[in-house]
Amino acid sequence: KKLEKWEKKLVKAGLLTMGEHIIDVIAGDYHKRSRQIRGHIVFTNNKLIFCGRFMGYIVPIEYYNVQSIHTCLIGPFPLGLRVTALDSNTNAYNHHILALFHRNHWKEFIESKRASY
């Protein structure tokens, strides 16, 4: 039921493509410079989408655009994933830092999706 609610939100926002489905939604933060943005990370079969509270800050990252993914520290805590991905609009590589639990599981998940392209 939780996934259905998220699916409706993302379809309404134009963030899900035809045939795309949500695999999981977890709480997580996005770190931009010295700013921490709280929200959720949505994992679909094609991409991950960081959605800030009330859909105020959205960062979609297509798995096939991911160049590298590494674990990192968030302060003293081993919670971070540093994802380097190509931005299709600017043709530049951007670094995204996500804070989430079970980061090794999600790192492996993203790598497996990336390898399937």
Side-chain angles (χ1 to χ4, degrees), residues 39-98:
H40 289 84
I41 303 166
V42 180
F43 293 92
T44 75
N45 54 319
N46 295 332
K47 64 182 164 266
L48 71 89
I49 307 165
F50 174 79
C51 300
R53 295 168 121 183
F54 309 112
M55 303 294 277
Y57 190 81
I58 297 173
V59 180
I61 303 170
E62 303 276 348
Y63 298 131
Y64 65 82
N65 283 335
V66 173
Q67 182 195 26
S68 65
I69 183 166
H70 302 283
T71 57
C72 63
L73 296 175
I74 302 293
F77 305 105
L79 296 172
L81 275 184
R82 182 183 174 101
V83 179
T84 303
L86 180 67
D87 182 334
S88 301
N89 298 327
T90 63
N91 238 10
Y93 285 97
N94 294 327
H95 303 288
H96 306 278
I97 297 177
L98 302 167

Side-chain angles (χ1 to χ4, degrees), residues 2-3 21-26 41-44 105-106:
K2 174 180 91 168
L3 297 183
H21 62 274
I22 296 174
I23 294 168
D24 204 356
V25 178
I26 62 169
I41 303 166
V42 180
F43 293 92
T44 75
H105 166 77
W106 293 112

